[in-house]
Amino acid sequence: MGAYASVCKSRDIEKAAHKPTRLGDEEKKPVIAQRESKLLSSRTLSASRSHQRNSMYERKIYDDDVDFAPPNITDNSSEAEPKLERKRTGLSDLFDSRQHRVLQGALSFLPVVIMHGLHRGVISSHKFLTEESKKGILVHQGEGAVVFCDASGFTALTERLAVKEEGAELLSHCLNLFMEPLIDIVFSYGGDIVKFSGDAITIVWPYDAPGDGHLSVLRASACCLELHNTLHNFDTKVPLGEGEGGNVKLTLHIGVGAGPVSILQVGGVFDRYEYVIAGPPLAQISIAEPLAKSGETVLSEDAFCWIRDDVKEGDQLERLDYHRVVAFSDKWTFSSVKATAVPTSDQCPLNPHTMTAEDIDVIRRFIPNSVFKKIEDPNGTAQANEMRVVTILFLQVSGVDVSTEKGSIIAQRLMSKLQKACYGNEGSVNKFLVDDKGLLFLCGFGLPPLIHTDDPVRAIHAAFKITKALKDLGLSGRIGVTTGKVWCGIIGSAQRKEYTFLGDDVNLSARLMGNADVNSILVCETTHRKCKKFLDFVTLNPIKVKGKTNKIPVFLPVEGEAAKRGLSVNVQRLKSMMESGIDVPWVVRSTFFGGPSPLLALGTEWFSQLQDVFENQEDEIRKGAVLQLSGGTGGGKVECGEYAIGQIVGQMGFVPVYAHLFSFGLAHKLLPLREFMEGMLETICRQREFGEKTRALLMAALTDEEVCLLRHACIGTKEEVAKVYDDVVTHEMERRMVQICIKFFKYFCDTAICSVKKDIKGVVVVLRSTHGTSYFPPPWIVSFWRLVVETAILSRERRELQMGEVAVLPVIVIVISRSVPDESFPRGTVLGLNELTDWVKSKGWRVETDLLSKDHCIQYVHLYLKVPLEAVPDALNEFCYKLAEGNSYYLREILDELVSRGLLKVQGDVLTVSDLSQVNVAEWVDTAMIATTMMSIESLKSEQAKVLKLASVFTGKTSMSDLSASVKASSEQANSEASVEGHCVLDDLHLMLTCNSLVELGMFVMDENRDYTIPSVLLQTVARGLVLKGQTLKIKKKALLGRAMLASKNNLTIKNQGEAGVTELVAQQ
């Protein structure tokens, strides 16, 4: 049995910014009543068959004591809801059909029990859960038969196909061929698929009446037997490895339990929720399923007692309280059992035709936002399947019974903390389940639309926060973390599906979790290799795990000093020293100071501007100044900052105080102030933490109240500031804390620093905001710019005092950031920022870096490789320039990747370069350029991302007719003739608007003939890599046919279309 299936039976929750409008208690009643009235009047109740299902959904919920009999909405007779008398156009019908399709697609991601919760109003857009919620968690309580159906062979299948270019498509095809008949059989017996667990599913058959589980268990058992008859030894047609012979085959082994079950919803962070099934049957199936061999079904005693006389029992098992079922007795057949069931497709109480926008908002909370975007695309769900490098975090928590009211409250608190830990590091919670060992959670870092080169670091930092949360809640847990290529996609059929990921690294993560000590973390070798530069590890003895022939190396990450203070990575490990002996809290970039980047040697315009400042305004700078160094990634702002620090500290004799901000990990709005204060304390007394020595320093400048505020909100231990981490920090509190820090800074400049440093000429404050690979702005961005403004004001005040011949220590402020924002922020206003920026510009102290020109890129390559300019082939220069597009950071990544892959060899002054035309750059997923580009594509609107991917298939120009044909090739066509015509009109109009929006974003360039080109080679390469190979051929074929029809219509021939791939396709066809 795959470890993934044994521990994971939940679904996906991912970060999203969508938040529905909240309604008050009085407002929500008529909304619910109106919705239920519509639904009840839209179809007649099928009393004879829906009675079999009513008991499961008639249980009382914490805040809802009204029993409800769900309607059986399958009627399409004349008794359906009457249509309003209004004239409808073809476009109106088209919009309605599209909305209906989206709703149908979204509902297929939910089990029937959740649909009934939506229908009753137990789950609604105006019911929100918080960490302290006690009501609204329990969605359903009843009794039922529960089946856990695990498929063996998927891991081997994934490993065989992962190495193939079209591996994602082939694996998706195999999964669908296996899952579609499986789901059809389950639905025919009335089973409700609650969870997909990678290659396994959890199914519920509710009791027909309280205390009567006979027919429910019988249907479940009959379904299991038919599944074996139909799918046992399913041939995938994928060959096994060399020397093994034959094909990969899939088999089933199934466990069945019965008894009380509860369905809960937990979460609420960013309005994302997870549902989970709990109760004694979950513990039963976790024992029964491992007892079942391939092709077998094992029932617990609680399930078997209902059908003892209706089935034939196989050989006795080691556990006498579990039973192997092999066939029916003479009084039952598959058909007769099936006749007692209400097909699952007839149990849905929701009608997409009568659902409102509010209902859609509620449905979305259970579906990852990136997946919902795929649902909106007619063929988008197929494009969600891919082989992707992901960091997997598995968490097991013991000692919690979520089927009780107390346990459900603990589960809600735990899920809230887990979501915050994952979302704070831009990861996602994918699965939540319950078994006999406790609670199990599966989290992913690097899933769409968020991908980072430092995902393993983010996952471990999230694990640190999770272990802290477990201790706070008095719980025990274990965590396993792995990194590798896994299959990510939508598994299931049109009737029922979920987003998941599976592969060997997912299984390994579960194995590591099982071997970890209580409240500790084990990571794999790959994760350790990617994180060892930033985090501390203890190397443990190799361990033997299931599924691996040899012992595997494992590592224990430990919280270093930086992690204890709440930082995302170990700053001391990143800290380096320039060749001049000046410390900086990051790895030096510029070759002038011992780093790898030769950017300052290129003579760029912006660096020349900075040099002029120090050559022509040295006296002005010495009196105090504010230098703003800004620009995008790879422009050279950090190198310029290092040059400025070298001049001010090394040549002018100023003392540095650093506040270096990281972009992820710490959800603390006052982090800039913490770094600023600790930088001053370390300079004075070589101690960053709050203690007796630092307290004495603070008391010399601040009041008792101010010291107390600093300690508990800013510079105390991680435990002391824990409440501030979780609570909302108001604008007033931010302003107050900034004032206190500036007050101490004045004392630092006037008194403290002079007592420990002699012959000081001034103080330079270096404020660096590191955005890194994060997609969302950090929570501390407002306090960062407040600190910038206040230190700048102090610098100007002291400058004016010096000009009035008052002896004060001058202050220089260096601000290193991607950009300088305007006055407005999402969370308030930073007064004085625009005025400061204008003053800095007027002095010529603002330097904005930019991308490199082609000549500068050529110089950069030869300087970075340390070879003569003439030794670099033109092909290499052209390859690097087109791919990096002037980004110096990307240039370094390209050259490093080529060297590490053996495609570029440097031997003295001689370069050996392989054929670069065969390089698949899209596979360089560990680089920032690929990760950033993928994130920019996946963050687009669904239609924008689709058109961009389709256009990337063509080299050179792409016409509107090519795109139109490509859209039709990848979309489902409507059935009726009128709808087809409407689709063509609307699609072409919508396509043109979408292309124009991509032009505005700079991702398309349009010429006078309205032909489009993707100007970025990097963007086109990455986008093309996201299109499945089979889809690529289909798109080109459709475009070729479209061109042929257009040529025939206009009595023309296809000549010089600029698409070599189409010509090749003609020969293939």
Side-chain angles (χ1 to χ4, degrees), residues 736-936:
R736 175 66 171 146
M737 296 305 299
V738 170
Q739 291 170 359
I740 295 173
C741 291
I742 293 299
K743 182 178 178 180
F744 182 77
F745 182 51
K746 291 178 180 178
Y747 169 77
F748 172 87
C749 295
D750 294 334
T751 305
I753 189 63
C754 296
S755 64
V756 296
K757 301 277 188 180
K758 303 301 181 182
D759 299 326
I760 297 175
K761 304 302 182 182
V763 177
V764 55
V765 180
V766 182
L767 304 174
R768 182 187 173 195
S769 169
T770 306
H771 191 280
T773 59
S774 293
Y775 178 75
F776 297 98
W780 41 257
I781 192 68
V782 174
S783 61
F784 173 82
W785 287 107
R786 287 191 197 280
L787 183 61
V788 168
V789 170
E790 293 301 325
T791 52
I793 290 173
L794 181 63
S795 174
R796 292 184 65 179
E797 289 176 351
R798 300 175 83 86
R799 175 185 172 84
E800 291 172 359
L801 288 174
Q802 287 187 83
M803 295 176 69
E805 298 186 353
V806 177
V808 293
L809 208 62
V811 173
I812 299 175
V813 181
I814 300 177
V815 184
I816 306 174
S817 65
R818 283 195 176 181
S819 61
V820 179
D822 57 18
E823 294 275 357
S824 300
F825 284 91
R827 293 182 292 276
T829 301
V830 179
L831 299 177
L833 186 55
N834 281 350
E835 180 185 358
L836 170 63
T837 302
D838 292 341
W839 179 71
V840 171
K841 282 184 177 179
S842 68
K843 293 289 185 179
W845 296 340
R846 180 174 180 182
V847 178
E848 296 182 74
T849 63
D850 202 351
L851 298 176
L852 302 178
S853 66
K854 185 174 183 178
D855 289 340
H856 284 147
C857 284
I858 293 173
Q859 292 181 52
Y860 193 101
V861 170
H862 96 83
L863 290 173
Y864 185 76
L865 295 176
K866 299 178 181 178
V867 297
L869 180 62
E870 58 274 9
V872 182
D874 292 339
L876 178 60
N877 284 327
E878 193 70 18
F879 178 83
C880 292
Y881 173 67
K882 285 186 175 181
L883 199 58
E885 297 169 345
N887 188 309
S888 64
Y889 183 47
Y890 292 176
L891 278 174
R892 294 200 301 276
E893 287 191 322
I894 293 168
L895 295 171
D896 289 344
E897 282 290 326
L898 291 176
V899 170
S900 66
R901 293 171 183 269
L903 301 172
L904 174 62
K905 296 180 181 179
V906 183
Q907 295 176 326
D909 292 345
V910 179
L911 287 184
T912 305
V913 184
S914 301
D915 183 7
L916 299 177
S917 64
Q918 303 302 315
V919 177
N920 186 2
V921 178
E923 293 182 348
W924 299 358
V925 292
D926 288 338
T927 61
M929 65 177 183
I930 299 301
T932 304
T933 306
M934 285 185 65
M935 197 151 56
S936 67

